Amino acid sequence: MEVKKRFWYGIAIGVLGVVLFSSKAVMVKIAYQYNVDAISILLLRMLFSFPFYIVIACVNRKTNTNKNSSKDWFWLLFFGFIGYYLASYFDFVGLTYIKASLERIILFLYPTMVLLLNRLFLKQKITKIQSIAIAFTYLGIVIAFRDEVQISGDKTILGGVFILLSALTYASYLVGSGWLIPKFGVVKFTAYAMLTSCVCVFVHYAFINETNLLSFSWEVYLLGFLIAVFATVIPSFLVSTSIKMISSSNFAVISGVGPISTIILAAIFLNERLTLMQLFGALVVIVGILFVSLKRQNKP
């Protein structure tokens, strides 16, 4: 009975983590209503999350007794730059052009990109069934976006390209950092990678942006705090805990809640509406990704 309870607790924690992660796009879109640009709201997200990751890094600095070489640290900094800074920046810029619900559907493609990158660089085989699932998934994207381009114009394509770049850079991080994480430990690696991305955003803002950081309305700072704490720090630990409790293959099924919750939250808080064809396309993407993820987990 205790095992069964643990499993259902793991399910609940995982769903909560996925929903909180999914709320990020909605809160960013709300922030854009207060005339804030992408790099500014990204900066606020990093500023508010920075202290949390400093504490996490300090607490876990001695958790891994392995001596890390300068090469290990270089690759950690590189993957922090790619996987968290670039991926986040592309995502926030893309959200200035497209709906939050469509953003989450595109980001949900990253498992297919992981498979394709593994095939390209690591020569890992993609099965025939996986290939069909990947094609099925991208067909869903075409279906969803065809309607949106007709409704909102060509800027939708530009936004979609930025979100695709975000998914690609995050997938590259997952593929490239797999060998490095055991050398540092998951928590320590994540904390240092996030701190790297924070510093990158600070530098980016200092050199590029001309907006006064203290000139925004109080709603923008509140949203920046909420994005940092409730859509970044807390769900990252909820998801990690859920995976430990129910396994990554079961969590792959739960992750399908992500796009659905974003569509619901965007409808409630942003008054976004998807057409029937877009909803059908989203369903095709979700089914395809879940199939790819489960097949990858069950692979011997």
Side-chain angles (χ1 to χ4, degrees):
M1 185 65 179
E2 285 301 319
V3 174
K4 191 174 182 180
K5 275 188 177 180
R6 177 182 170 84
F7 179 80
W8 284 110
Y9 284 144
I11 293 284
I13 290 170
V15 169
L16 179 59
V18 169
V19 171
L20 288 176
F21 265 135
S22 301
S23 70
K24 179 247 332 173
V26 175
M27 288 191 282
V28 170
K29 293 291 285 186
I30 294 173
Y32 287 158
Q33 296 174 6
Y34 294 95
N35 297 318
V36 60
D37 60 353
I39 188 61
S40 295
I41 193 64
L42 180 57
L43 175 72
L44 291 174
R45 176 199 191 192
M46 295 307 188
L47 275 175
F48 286 121
S49 62
F50 190 74
F52 291 96
Y53 288 110
I54 284 285
V55 172
I56 294 166
C58 290
V59 169
N60 291 275
R61 67 185 185 279
K62 294 181 180 179
T63 54
N64 195 305
T65 56
N66 294 333
K67 289 186 176 180
N68 301 114
S69 65
S70 56
K71 184 178 179 182
D72 292 338
W73 284 104
F74 167 81
W75 284 112
L76 185 150
L77 296 175
F78 175 77
F79 288 122
F81 174 80
I82 293 290
Y84 288 110
Y85 163 63
L86 278 185
S88 295
Y89 179 67
F90 288 144
D91 183 33
F92 277 50
V93 172
L95 277 167
T96 62
Y97 299 105
I98 67 172
K99 294 175 178 176
S101 45
L102 290 178
E103 176 259 10
R104 181 54 48 180
I105 293 168
I106 300 174
L107 283 183
F108 203 52
L109 291 174
Y110 79 85
T112 68
M113 296 180 179
V114 168
L115 281 179
L116 294 171
L117 289 171
N118 278 332
R119 178 69 182 92
L120 183 62
F121 294 106
L122 303 179
K123 308 303 179 185
Q124 292 184 9
K125 186 179 179 181
I126 298 176
T127 67
K128 186 176 181 180
I129 294 176
Q130 286 175 327
S131 298
I132 293 171
I134 291 172
F136 192 68
T137 300
Y138 284 88
L139 174 63
I141 289 293
V142 172
I143 293 171
F145 259 77
R146 183 180 178 184
D147 260 18
E148 189 61 26
V149 171
Q150 293 174 348
I151 296 168
S152 303
D154 292 339
K155 283 188 177 181
T156 302
I157 297 175
L158 179 60
V161 169
F162 274 113
I163 304 300
L164 272 174
L165 286 173
S166 176
L168 180 60
T169 48
Y170 183 66
S172 301
Y173 157 79
L174 291 177
V175 171
S177 63
W179 62 273
L180 194 60
I181 290 176
K183 294 187 176 185
F184 288 91
V186 176
V187 176
K188 185 177 178 180
F189 178 87
T190 302
Y192 281 111
M194 282 299 300
L195 289 173
T196 300
S197 70
C198 288
V199 172
C200 290
V201 172
F202 299 159
V203 172
H204 185 155
Y205 186 88
F207 279 93
I208 303 295
N209 205 280
E210 298 179 355
T211 306
N212 185 350
L213 185 60
L214 301 177
S215 65
F216 304 121
S217 64
W218 66 268
E219 291 93 345
V220 172
Y221 301 108
L222 176 61
L223 286 163
F225 176 79
L226 293 175
I227 292 168
V229 177
F230 293 98
T232 305
V233 178
I234 291 176
S236 66
F237 289 104
L238 290 176
V239 167
S240 298
T241 303
S242 176
I243 290 173
K244 288 180 182 178
M245 294 176 74
I246 65 173
S247 83
S248 56
S249 58
N250 286 320
F251 183 79
V253 178
I254 294 175
S255 66
V257 172
I260 297 170
S261 64
T262 302
I263 290 171
I264 294 171
L265 290 172
I268 295 171
F269 294 102
L270 300 172
N271 200 32
E272 286 187 1
R273 296 291 184 270
L274 296 183
T275 66
L276 287 176
M277 283 301 292
Q278 287 174 330
L279 289 171
F280 175 69
L283 178 63
V284 170
V285 171
I286 292 168
V287 171
I289 292 297
L290 291 180
F291 198 79
V292 166
S293 299
L294 288 172
K295 281 295 178 183
R296 191 175 60 195
Q297 295 293 340
N298 293 332
K299 191 175 177 181

